[in-house]
Amino acid sequence: MFLNALLVVITDLAAGLLGNASFRRHFHLLLSGLLLFGPLLSLWVSQYSIFGKRSHFLYRVFLRSGWGWTCIFVGSFVFVLSFTVRRSLTLSLRHLSRLAVAGGLWISFRKLLCLLENATGNCYEPLSSTLELASGTNGDGQPLLLLREGETKEVCIRSGMLWRGYEVSEDALLLCLCCLLLAEETAVFGPYLSLGGPSGAPLRILFLFCILLLSLWVFLLLCLLAYFPQFPTQLLGGALGCLSWRVLYQGWYRLGPSWYCPGRPGVGLLSTQSKQDETHKEYNETNAEVSN
């Protein structure tokens, strides 16, 4: 009983925060502020911290599979919530299609960024120690580099050579996109609870997992900006993530549900729940009048 009561209190507080209109309106500004001023944290953090190593557990397990974790938890929450209200598989799949759209956009961005990096970058091979002794180093005391033409970034790095070129941070793009997507998809839980919708422990646990995942993505974004600052590549990646959110959730999805648009989160769910509550209230009032 205590754990269930604690779960209810935590999820109610989180749902109230995420469902707040002011929070939803300014959350992307919070992420923008982190992207702009987060690299300044590198002046205070210690590079010997456990979060200063790319081999850390959080980077290996969560960041490299960030989109997969987001799909698992957000997809489960969206499906359970929509199916609980309407018992309609078609409606649940329509709401899940927003994840498919965002996933397709993420894959497209990865391919386009890979093409951009290969088109604008070059691969360099450090000269061997023997050649360095014979030819010396450059004016800055750095070892000479031999240009290797025709190599892609993946092959270059895998071969132990150096890649220099124009880059956009895929990690910042993914984290910003996932944070904004999580905030949008979970924001409907607050209004849903206020309408008296059924909220059993499974649904609340899934919502809590989504909140924890959102907190983890924000924390990892701060770690990347503080321990691995790459300005302006991270800023550009975050800008693409925010732009994707604005095009989808503030643009396309506002057109309403149709054959070409999945609609915004909560469309067809909250209105239905409100109608069910009104019908139930009228039914109770009618029964009370009949009994009198």
Side-chain angles (χ1 to χ4, degrees), residues 214-242:
L214 173 59
S215 304
L216 177 62
W217 290 159
V218 173
F219 175 73
L220 288 181
L221 181 61
L222 270 175
C223 287
L224 287 179
L225 295 171
Y227 293 100
F228 311 100
Q230 295 177 346
F231 194 87
T233 61
Q234 291 172 335
L235 181 61
L236 293 173
L240 284 178
C242 293

Side-chain angles (χ1 to χ4, degrees), residues 257-269:
S258 60
W259 63 270
Y260 61 86
C261 179
R264 300 190 68 188
V267 173
L269 301 179

Side-chain angles (χ1 to χ4, degrees), residues 12 38 46 77 125 140 196 208 244 252 292:
D12 282 349
S46 172
F77 172 75
E125 180 182 6
D140 297 329
L208 181 61
S244 302
W252 181 28
N292 292 333

Side-chain angles (χ1 to χ4, degrees), residues 169-182:
S169 175
E170 293 185 3
D171 291 336
L173 191 162
L174 175 63
L175 290 174
C176 288
L177 178 60
C178 288
C179 285
L180 292 167
L181 184 146
L182 274 161

